[in-house]
Amino acid sequence: MDEFMANIAATIQQMQQQNATLAAQNTVLQQQNTTVIAALQAAQPAAHQPVLDLFDSTSPFDLSTRNGANAMEKASAALGTSWDGTLELFNAFLLDLKARAREMHWDAAPNDGGILTIDGHDLLSEYHLIPMSDIEAARTNRTNDRAKQNSKSLFLTLSKSVRGELKIILFGLDGNLPAHADGPTLFKAMIATTAASSLQVSIRARDDLRDLDPADFDFKITAINAHASHLFSLATTSASTISDAERTQLLLSIYKRIKQPEEFFQWVGRKIDEFEDNTLTTPAGLKVHQGLMNSAALKATRLAVDTCTWKTTTVKEDIVAMNAAAQATKSAPKKPPRKTPEKEKETAPSGKSLPPFLRFYKRPDSEGNAPYVVGDVKEFQGQTWHFCDCPNHKGKVKWHTHPTKECRTRKKWLESDGAANAGIVDEDASDAPDTTGPIDTSALQAMLANAMTMVPQDEGNEGLQDCIGEMMLFVAQNS
């Protein structure tokens, strides 16, 4: 019995030892599982972060990736406007370059990869204030990798955007080849090589600003602003700068030359008052003259909807000019009255003049004042004239060169019982003499002269006076 109990105890003890060994092994397995799970979790890739702007990061482009290579290629592409060194294209070229700098963040802070701020001055706007020595110092001290890439991008952009003689000067002459692929250095060399920063150009640009006529740009405010910005750039040199206040004053002087529409003229007047009172405000981040240009363009756009008339003269000045033109027209020599061609005039037979008794139906007082009768004749310049008692002849003419018995108008008048046919048309009108001939016109001239004196000397009666004058001239010429 004792031996049996000893065997049982030994078995139990052996089982306890096995359980302890299994527990230790289990602990080791659990630790290994935890380590494996942690390793697997660490090996999983991080969550994908979308790229919203290739140029927004301050880190340099990874040129081994497709996105990085594409970003560098885009940043180094040629500008839309190339420059040949002439002043006419300088402003457009500079605006394109500023747009590229803003897109690629070349204008960021130096520690964030920016390359355009040198000694507190912006290279693209204040290039005249930055000497080449400062630009070289900035290049030497540049340690930011993104800034180095940006400098290289600017250099490639400028080299692809020059043409003509400027390109020959910069890249065609051995001594002028850039020593470094540094964008700011190349830009400064381009400016120094051309007349963009010369004193003569600055003086001429200032004169052009003072004489700028809005009518030369069809009163388009955007075009006026663009040209003014161009002149601002040319007028600024290391020896001569234009302050923000001076630019604002020049712009107001230009806008003030626009007198119509009245609403824009009054708007400019209010801006002048605000400028003089030092209360002219502008949005944050903009200079005063830039805010003024934006406001003027917006005002012009709103007025354009109303189809206003743009002029450099006021309405009062336009009225004065119209009155002066009217007075000049009145004082100008009048055109002579149109003379009727000879072939249109009805004249007496054989081209002879008309007799003075064409309308006489009674004898003069010296002959008893008795009425003429059919059959009476008169001689005038070797021509026989016959009296006709028909009242329907043109112009009440009583004497004709054809015999009375051959008068067709009189025959119709007689066939219709005489006076009852007062409306019969004169069929002998072609044979009748022209009653506008040299009859006694003194009474007619006197009547016309009297009518002229009766016309009031007021504005609006010039046409009536001219008509009466032409009638008097016509009567005088045919008397």
Side-chain angles (χ1 to χ4, degrees):
M1 185 67 181
D2 293 336
E3 184 179 358
F4 176 75
M5 293 299 295
N7 291 334
I8 292 176
T11 301
I12 293 173
Q13 184 178 2
Q14 185 178 3
M15 292 179 63
Q16 290 177 346
Q17 291 177 352
Q18 290 177 351
N19 289 337
T21 301
L22 291 174
Q25 291 177 348
N26 187 39
T27 301
V28 172
L29 290 175
Q30 289 179 350
Q31 291 177 350
Q32 290 178 346
N33 288 337
T34 302
T35 302
V36 170
I37 292 173
L40 290 175
Q41 291 178 347
Q44 290 182 355
H48 173 68
Q49 297 294 331
V51 179
L52 303 179
D53 188 350
L54 290 174
F55 311 101
D56 193 32
S57 175
T58 58
S59 301
F61 302 132
D62 185 359
L63 301 183
S64 64
T65 65
R66 178 180 300 178
N67 286 342
N70 290 340
M72 187 66 177
E73 181 180 0
K74 183 176 181 181
S76 307
L79 299 174
T81 302
S82 59
W83 189 32
D84 57 358
T86 60
L87 299 179
E88 290 75 15
L89 295 177
F90 177 66
N91 190 58
F93 168 80
L94 193 58
L95 289 177
D96 276 1
L97 185 58
K98 289 181 178 180
R100 175 68 62 83
R102 187 167 302 172
E103 180 185 5
M104 304 305 166
H105 297 281
W106 295 341
D107 55 352
N111 293 334
D112 294 333
I115 58 174
L116 299 181
T117 302
I118 300 176
D119 196 21
H121 299 292
D122 179 61
L123 178 64
L124 301 185
S125 299
E126 301 173 303
Y127 49 84
H128 51 279
L129 298 177
I130 306 175
M132 186 64 82
S133 58
D134 290 352
I135 295 177
E136 178 61 21
R139 184 196 67 81
T140 305
N141 298 328
R142 190 174 293 129
T143 58
N144 186 281
D145 291 335
R146 178 61 182 271
K148 293 180 179 180
Q149 280 188 342
N150 288 341
S151 176
K152 180 67 174 295
S153 298
L154 176 57
F155 178 86
L156 294 175
T157 295
L158 294 175
S159 62
K160 296 174 183 178
S161 302
V162 293
R163 58 185 174 89
E165 294 187 359
L166 180 59
K167 186 171 185 178
I168 296 175
I169 294 174
L170 293 174
F171 299 99
L173 301 178
D174 187 26
N176 293 341
L177 289 175
H180 307 282
D182 181 61
T185 302
L186 179 58
F187 178 76
K188 183 65 177 181
M190 293 169 60
I191 297 298
T193 304
T194 64
S197 60
S198 66
L199 183 59
Q200 293 81 0
V201 171
S202 173
I203 296 174
R204 190 178 69 180
R206 287 175 178 269
D207 293 340
D208 291 343
L209 280 168
R210 297 187 185 96
D211 299 335
L212 196 151
D213 187 358
D216 295 338
F217 301 89
D218 295 330
F219 301 98
K220 295 179 180 179
I221 301 300
T222 53
I224 295 172
N225 290 342
H227 189 66
S229 298
H230 173 55
L231 294 177
F232 287 151
S233 299
L234 297 181
T236 304
T237 64
S238 58
S240 175
T241 60
I242 302 182
S243 64
D244 183 37
E246 187 177 0
R247 297 186 184 200
T248 304
Q249 189 172 13
L250 287 170
L251 285 172
L252 289 172
S253 299
I254 295 170
Y255 296 153
K256 190 178 180 181
R257 296 188 179 103
I258 303 176
K259 304 300 179 59
Q260 295 187 54
E262 181 67 22
E263 185 176 349
F264 185 83
F265 182 72
Q266 294 178 357
W267 178 85
V268 175
R270 292 193 296 270
K271 293 299 179 181
I272 293 176
D273 293 339
E274 294 176 5
F275 177 74
E276 293 176 348
D277 296 338
N278 200 24
T279 58
L280 184 60
T281 59
T282 187
L286 289 179
K287 295 183 178 180
V288 177
H289 79 277
Q290 293 172 336
L292 178 62
M293 288 193 291
N294 294 341
S295 300
L298 180 60
K299 186 66 176 180
T301 301
R302 292 174 177 173
L303 292 177
V305 178
D306 301 330
T307 62
C308 299
T309 300
W310 294 77
K311 292 184 177 181
T312 54
T313 56
T314 63
V315 176
K316 181 178 180 180
E317 291 172 342
D318 287 346
I319 294 176
V320 172
M322 291 171 61
N323 289 336
Q327 294 296 330
T329 303
K330 288 173 57 178
S331 61
K334 298 181 176 61
K335 295 181 179 180
R338 189 180 72 89
K339 294 185 178 180
T340 305
E342 292 297 327
K343 63 179 181 179
E344 295 181 3
K345 288 188 176 181
E346 297 181 6
T347 59
S350 303
K352 298 179 180 180
S353 59
L354 299 173
F357 51 80
L358 282 174
R359 293 186 180 87
F360 291 179
Y361 63 92
K362 292 194 304 182
R363 290 177 171 82
D365 295 339
S366 59
E367 298 180 9
N369 203 21
Y372 290 109
V373 296
V374 175
D376 290 340
V377 295
K378 285 181 176 290
E379 297 292 332
F380 182 75
Q381 295 184 354
Q383 182 71 37
T384 301
W385 294 79
H386 302 268
F387 176 78
C388 181
D389 57 352
C390 177
N392 295 335
H393 283 296
K394 178 182 177 181
K396 303 300 181 182
V397 174
K398 296 296 184 181
W399 296 87
H400 305 276
T401 56
H402 56 268
T404 305
K405 62 180 181 179
E406 298 178 2
C407 180
R408 291 172 294 179
T409 303
R410 186 174 184 276
K411 289 180 181 179
K412 289 186 177 182
W413 175 64
L414 292 175
E415 291 174 358
S416 302
D417 297 330
N421 295 280
I424 295 177
V425 178
D426 186 2
E427 296 184 5
D428 300 302
S430 59
D431 296 333
D434 189 356
T435 59
T436 60
I439 310 173
D440 186 6
T441 58
S442 57
L444 180 58
Q445 289 181 339
M447 292 175 60
L448 291 173
N450 186 40
M452 178 69 80
T453 60
M454 296 176 64
V455 176
Q457 300 296 322
D458 297 332
E459 184 176 357
N461 293 327
E462 295 87 357
L464 182 58
Q465 294 173 349
D466 293 343
C467 182
I468 296 175
E470 291 179 0
M471 291 173 63
M472 295 177 64
L473 181 60
F474 180 81
V475 171
Q477 290 176 342
N478 292 274
S479 60

